[in-house]
Amino acid sequence: MVSIVAVGARWRAQVRRSGSKSISRTFATRKEAEAWARATEHAADRGRRFGGRQATIERLLAHYEAARADAGRPVGKQSNEHYMLARLKGHFGAMQLQKLATAEIRDYCRIRRRQGAGPYTVNMEISKLGTGLRYACSLLEIPYQDAVGAARPTLHHLGLIGAGEKRTRRPTPDEWTRLLAYLPTLPTALPMADMLRVAALNAFRRGELCRIAWPDLDVARRTIIVRDRKHPRRKKGNDEVVPLVGDSLDIIMRQPRREREPRIFPYEPSTLSFWFTRACKHLEIEDLHFHDMRHEATSALFEAGWQIPEVAAVTGHKDWRHLKRYTHPDTAEIAKKPR
């Protein structure tokens, strides 16, 4: 049973279930109170009893997912986050929250490392564990001691987690030539060569490339709006006008326009990666990812003499420290520059 009542200028939502202690929370708006109540009821209706720290890790992570969906930010079924949560729920399963400690988290990390996951990947997974538990416990008003945070110093000391290695991979001229020649022969409707070229000129991520739309194209100014571009603080609403570099506009203009389809490249990012990986495997090009085109674009712009603000206008970076991670100039080209 749910009740939502006004308390002064705020709104209190309370959820009661037979056999469980009622829980309540106060919000600034009625909409927030209703969203929380629906998420809490959803978890209860699926048989989850909220027994404080006796709640299981699996159930708390599932409640986190349900709350995300109810708030309009669902975890995508094909996203890395979805697979991380599934892996965490599968491992910790029925373990009660009160029993989660450094030893249990360490064991999980050791298993993942033996499975081939690197320190950065493992670090991302336990970060997701901490995030899921923290938000679920907050929503359910369950006391939460940060077991993940407490375990981090030990995990770092043991080398089980760590920062990702700086990636410097760019396609060589020979690899680039072979890719552009082979991609049109793939048995797919995706214009892979065109998409690769646009990404390598404009530092587009896969999702951005598959999201740009005809209504956002300004042919006269040679720009396009990238909607909801990745931002260190804002998840949505970070729309940026991006200049189209080189022959990007010409490539875009030759794409077919589809009725009731505003996107220029209306394909799934995962499909794009699948065909790119298949092409690299066929051509025996090792350790090259589609995301490396972002490194290629950034480095090429600096090699062409662009200044930091100009490059940042293309890549969308807000901080030189982050932009620098994508900058890998060819030292042989630097050596040719006049003194």
Side-chain angles (χ1 to χ4, degrees), residues 137-330:
C137 288
S138 175
L139 288 169
L140 298 170
E141 297 190 346
I142 295 174
Y144 175 58
Q145 296 177 356
D146 189 4
V148 172
R152 282 191 173 279
T154 298
L155 302 178
H156 275 290
H157 181 71
L158 296 175
L160 295 172
I161 62 173
E165 295 181 2
K166 182 180 178 181
R167 188 166 178 82
T168 61
R169 184 72 161 93
R170 296 174 63 184
T172 66
D174 175 67
E175 291 171 340
W176 185 249
T177 299
R178 289 192 291 136
L179 274 168
L180 291 182
Y182 177 71
L183 288 173
T185 70
L186 288 169
T188 173
L190 274 70
M192 286 295 299
D194 283 352
M195 296 178 76
L196 183 68
R197 180 70 177 156
V198 172
L201 284 168
N202 299 281
F204 287 149
R205 301 173 179 88
R206 297 176 310 158
E208 294 169 352
L209 183 62
C210 296
R211 199 161 60 239
I212 55 174
W214 292 110
D216 294 327
L217 177 66
D218 188 328
V219 176
R221 300 184 62 207
R222 301 182 67 87
T223 63
I224 195 163
I225 300 174
V226 178
R227 302 285 177 183
D228 294 329
R229 204 166 201 190
K230 185 176 180 181
H231 190 279
R233 291 173 295 278
R234 295 198 300 269
K235 296 296 183 182
K236 287 189 176 182
N238 185 42
D239 300 339
E240 293 187 346
V241 178
V242 178
L244 291 169
V245 180
D247 61 350
S248 298
L249 179 60
D250 296 332
I251 296 173
I252 287 174
M253 293 302 293
R254 68 176 178 237
Q255 304 307 313
R257 298 200 183 209
R258 299 166 175 82
E259 188 177 359
R260 294 190 294 275
E261 174 52 77
R263 292 177 298 164
I264 297 168
F265 299 108
Y267 309 104
E268 290 298 321
S270 58
T271 305
L272 176 59
S273 291
F274 170 82
W275 289 110
F276 182 78
T277 301
R278 176 168 168 172
C280 288
K281 184 176 181 179
H282 175 83
L283 297 171
E284 298 182 347
I285 297 176
E286 297 183 358
D287 191 35
L288 185 66
H289 307 155
F290 192 90
H291 190 74
D292 292 332
M293 298 308 109
R294 188 161 164 80
H295 295 253
E296 171 63 24
T298 306
S299 299
L301 291 175
F302 277 118
E303 289 170 353
W306 288 43
Q307 300 301 307
I308 290 176
E310 296 171 327
V311 176
V314 176
T315 65
H317 285 99
K318 310 302 179 191
D319 190 314
W320 162 242
R321 292 172 299 174
H322 298 151
L323 178 58
K324 186 177 179 181
R325 293 180 57 244
Y326 285 88
T327 308
H328 317 297
D330 186 336

Side-chain angles (χ1 to χ4, degrees), residues 47-124:
R48 294 176 174 82
R49 296 169 63 86
F50 308 130
R53 285 177 56 79
Q54 286 74 42
T56 66
I57 305 299
E58 180 182 14
R59 291 176 175 178
L60 290 170
L61 293 179
H63 183 73
Y64 165 73
E65 287 186 278
R68 280 276 303 270
D70 199 70
R73 294 182 53 238
V75 177
K77 293 300 182 183
Q78 301 298 322
S79 67
N80 289 335
E81 189 175 11
H82 168 77
Y83 291 113
M84 281 195 290
L85 287 166
R87 193 175 293 117
L88 290 165
K89 287 187 289 186
H91 175 85
F92 290 103
M95 178 183 293
Q96 294 180 344
L97 177 64
Q98 64 183 349
K99 295 182 178 179
L100 182 65
T102 296
E104 286 69 35
I105 299 173
R106 177 206 60 199
D107 291 345
Y108 172 81
C109 294
R110 283 177 172 171
I111 290 172
R112 291 294 291 130
R113 291 301 306 277
R114 286 197 295 268
Q115 291 173 343
Y120 179 74
T121 299
V122 178
N123 191 24
M124 291 290 289

Side-chain angles (χ1 to χ4, degrees), residues 1-5 11-27 32-46 48-51 63 70 138-141:
M1 179 179 177
V2 172
S3 63
I4 298 177
V5 297
W11 294 86
R12 178 182 297 154
Q14 184 179 58
V15 177
R16 293 189 294 272
R17 276 289 185 271
S18 177
S20 296
K21 183 180 178 180
S22 65
I23 54 176
S24 61
R25 191 174 177 187
T26 304
F27 298 87
E32 290 176 324
E34 290 174 343
W36 174 83
R38 284 196 302 269
T40 304
E41 271 206 308
H42 176 68
D45 289 340
R46 292 170 61 183
R48 294 176 174 82
R49 296 169 63 86
F50 308 130
H63 183 73
D70 199 70
S138 175
L139 288 169
L140 298 170
E141 297 190 346

